[in-house]
Amino acid sequence: MPSDPRFLADEMLGSLARWLRIMGYDTTYARHITDREVLCRARAEGRIVLTRDHQLAERAGGQGLLVESDALEEQLVQVSCDLGLTFEERCTRCTICNGALRDATPQEWTQAPPRVRGSQDRIYKCQDCGQLYWRGSHWSKITERLERVLALRCGSSPH
């Protein structure tokens, strides 16, 4: 597996894809495409296929990972443990389109709600879709969940 893995999550793993993006991993989400198209796209883009489908995981071989649980936290524990993933707050990606985030320009700050502009030191913008992000009150819940998941990994994984 590559040291900085890139993922392609199949359509059964949309929530996992979003959380891997929050963790900073380049994760595309394959919806409404065939297994063959998933495999071709993953190979062409150098991505690891994440799937709940036994046959698809088998066909992906060493470039695939069968995600065993339906529960998101268990999925995060398994993928983090199996692939040695970490979480760095500065590297998050757009949860909507997977684009890289960058600091918003002063002009782009004006697109954020006034309460956000008055309470935040930094606002981020997706380079691809233009979505704005900031680390509001929800951010502490996100980081707590990821810290809990990463603390569980490998030693006491539920899978």
Side-chain angles (χ1 to χ4, degrees):
M1 301 288 174
S3 61
D4 193 15
R6 300 170 69 214
F7 302 107
L8 190 153
D10 75 4
E11 65 184 336
M12 293 181 269
L13 298 172
S15 293
L16 177 62
R18 280 189 300 278
W19 279 86
L20 289 171
R21 291 170 180 171
I22 290 169
M23 291 175 68
Y25 292 95
D26 182 342
T27 307
T28 59
Y29 179 46
R31 294 183 66 198
H32 311 300
I33 64 173
T34 67
D35 287 358
R36 184 169 191 224
E37 291 169 315
V38 166
L39 294 170
C40 288
R41 185 172 165 191
R43 284 187 191 111
E45 297 176 9
R47 295 182 182 278
I48 298 167
V49 175
L50 301 175
T51 184
R52 298 256 314 119
D53 181 324
H54 290 267
Q55 290 177 335
L56 180 56
E58 219 172 87
R59 288 175 61 200
Q63 286 304 113
L65 178 65
L66 177 66
V67 178
E68 298 173 12
S69 177
D70 281 327
L72 174 62
E73 285 198 13
E74 291 176 8
Q75 293 172 351
L76 283 167
V77 169
Q78 179 195 351
V79 173
S80 295
C81 179
D82 290 355
L83 301 175
L85 304 184
T86 60
F87 169 54
E88 292 185 38
E89 288 187 47
R90 62 181 175 78
C91 295
T92 60
R93 300 182 70 86
C94 179
T95 59
I96 297 168
C97 77
N98 191 43
L101 301 183
R102 61 165 174 75
D103 286 322
T105 65
Q107 182 179 6
E108 292 165 341
W109 270 67
T110 63
Q111 299 167 8
R115 64 175 170 73
V116 171
R117 294 192 308 262
S119 66
Q120 297 297 310
D121 294 331
R122 294 181 85 177
I123 296 177
Y124 306 90
K125 186 170 186 172
C126 175
Q127 295 181 93
D128 294 341
C129 74
Q131 177 69 34
L132 293 179
Y133 290 88
W134 55 87
R135 296 191 174 150
S137 58
H138 65 288
W139 187 248
S140 63
K141 291 181 179 121
I142 290 170
T143 57
E144 285 171 17
R145 187 176 200 180
L146 288 173
E147 287 170 6
R148 183 174 63 248
V149 163
L150 293 176
L152 286 173
R153 72 180 197 182
C154 301
S156 58
S157 171
H159 71 274

